[in-house]
Amino acid sequence: MFNPLYTRTYLNKKTAGRLEGRIIYNHVLILPDGREILIDSYHPGEGGWGLLQYPFQKIDFKSISELLKKY
């Protein structure tokens, strides 16, 4: 579990659409299967990077919706 002080959001199609146009720092997204992704930084149009909880690895992505499809 990542730091409990970070903002947490359950990720689904609706919330992915809302987050697409926002700049995000230090935000935890909870995937449908319960795993967590700590978003270190995300800028619309540029993409971002974060840490996937299980298996623990750094991930790069272009959009929030891509996270739903890929993980």
Side-chain angles (χ1 to χ4, degrees):
M1 180 174 165
F2 292 111
N3 188 334
L5 298 177
Y6 290 148
T7 304
R8 305 173 103 65
T9 303
Y10 287 100
L11 188 61
N12 57 35
K13 289 181 182 179
K14 186 177 180 181
T15 57
R18 290 181 182 170
L19 294 173
E20 283 292 327
R22 298 183 182 187
I23 296 173
I24 301 171
Y25 290 104
N26 298 331
H27 194 105
V28 175
L29 299 177
I30 302 170
L31 296 171
D33 65 0
R35 294 181 298 162
E36 297 178 346
I37 298 176
L38 169 62
I39 304 299
D40 184 70
S41 68
Y42 169 75
H43 293 268
E46 297 177 20
W49 73 275
L51 298 171
L52 179 65
Q53 187 178 23
Y54 299 112
F56 192 76
Q57 64 184 2
K58 180 183 178 211
I59 55 173
D60 295 306
F61 56 93
K62 291 289 182 190
S63 69
I64 301 294
S65 299
E66 176 186 335
L67 295 174
L68 269 178
K69 296 175 188 172
K70 197 171 182 182
Y71 301 100

